[in-house]
Amino acid sequence: MIPKGSIQWYDVIDSTNSEVRRLLEADKLDNLSVVAAVCQTAGRGQGDHKWTSTPGDNLTFTMVMRFSTEENGIVLPASEMLQITCVTTLAIRDFLLDNGITARIKWPNDIWVGDLKICGILIENILDGSNVRDSIVGIGLNLNQQSWPEGIPNPVSMKMLTGKDYEPHSALDALHEKLCLRFEQLATKEGRVDLEAEFRQYMFRLEA
């Protein structure tokens, strides 16, 4: 069993990805630690996109995956960085399935339910030579939000799908557990093969 790090909640922060990077530079984060925020003032998505979220309604957080540490000894070549996406997207799918929601993975790392987007992921990797040293995995999962600004093309939340309210702290605890379980699959060759096979099973690309 690989030890899992703690979850730190902030009321307001610029970006959970940025805070994780700062804490890593100060060597203040254990593997599988999480930084979560009620409100992000500068949340980021893929490319130049911003992540839009009503404060308190959703999960906006970042988990760090650290490699080649004394605790896990997992070495991840940069050529296998897709494994980080596999771990992350499949864990989110597991969590949603536990809540009665069947989701798909839109290449490369968004989570959709039908034709609607429920989760976005921003992964930033720090390399040490030819290997990944740290992976900064930012996740925005729509829990309770029911309206968005114009220009957000196809959002949906768990509440919209199930009619239930979700408490962010307990939801994050459950999702963190799923992420840690999927991370453990990286420890074996068989686990990595299974991760990639399952990822490809549930992954789709938008047609041009």
Side-chain angles (χ1 to χ4, degrees):
M1 180 72 69
I2 297 171
K4 61 180 179 181
S6 62
I7 298 176
Q8 302 177 44
W9 276 92
Y10 292 74
D11 288 332
V12 181
I13 203 169
D14 55 349
S15 158
T16 57
N17 270 36
S18 297
E19 178 65 5
V20 164
R21 187 177 291 273
R22 291 189 289 263
L23 291 170
L24 281 174
E25 289 173 354
D27 198 23
K28 292 183 177 180
L29 274 186
D30 295 326
N31 183 38
L32 304 181
S33 293
V34 168
V35 169
V38 175
C39 176
Q40 288 189 114
T41 60
R44 293 179 287 135
Q46 292 289 336
D48 296 329
H49 296 165
K50 294 182 179 180
W51 182 259
T52 301
S53 176
T54 301
D57 270 355
N58 306 314
L59 286 183
T60 50
F61 70 97
T62 299
M63 187 168 93
V64 62
M65 299 180 189
R66 309 201 72 176
F67 298 94
S68 302
T69 64
E70 292 183 4
E71 290 79 10
N72 64 51
I74 295 173
V75 176
L76 187 72
S79 60
E80 296 182 26
M81 285 191 294
L82 178 64
Q83 291 284 341
I84 298 165
T85 299
C86 296
V87 165
T88 306
T89 54
L90 290 173
I92 296 166
R93 188 180 183 277
D94 293 341
F95 169 77
L96 291 171
L97 199 58
D98 277 358
N99 286 277
I101 299 169
T102 301
R104 301 183 296 159
I105 302 161
K106 185 183 80 65
W107 176 264
N109 50 14
D110 286 337
I111 308 297
W112 283 30
V113 179
D115 295 327
L116 303 174
K117 179 178 175 179
I118 196 168
C119 181
I121 301 162
L122 176 63
I123 298 175
E124 301 173 297
N125 294 312
I126 300 171
L127 302 183
D128 181 8
S130 60
N131 295 326
V132 178
R133 188 191 76 196
D134 300 305
S135 186
I136 299 170
V137 181
I139 296 171
L141 174 63
N142 297 330
L143 287 183
N144 299 311
Q145 190 164 341
Q146 298 187 80
S147 62
W148 281 264
E150 290 186 13
I152 307 296
N154 59 338
V156 72
S157 68
M158 293 176 64
K159 181 174 182 177
M160 291 169 67
L161 293 168
T162 67
K164 300 177 182 178
D165 287 304
Y166 296 90
E167 200 285 310
H169 287 73
S170 59
L172 180 53
D173 288 345
L175 179 49
H176 186 212
E177 186 69 30
K178 297 295 186 185
L179 287 160
C180 292
L181 287 172
R182 286 291 187 176
F183 182 85
E184 289 196 359
Q185 289 185 255
L186 296 177
T188 66
K189 180 179 179 182
E190 294 80 6
R192 296 186 188 200
V193 170
D194 289 345
L195 279 169
E196 191 160 342
E198 195 173 351
F199 173 79
R200 296 190 184 284
Q201 178 182 352
Y202 297 117
M203 185 269 292
F204 73 99
R205 298 174 186 263
L206 286 181
E207 298 296 331

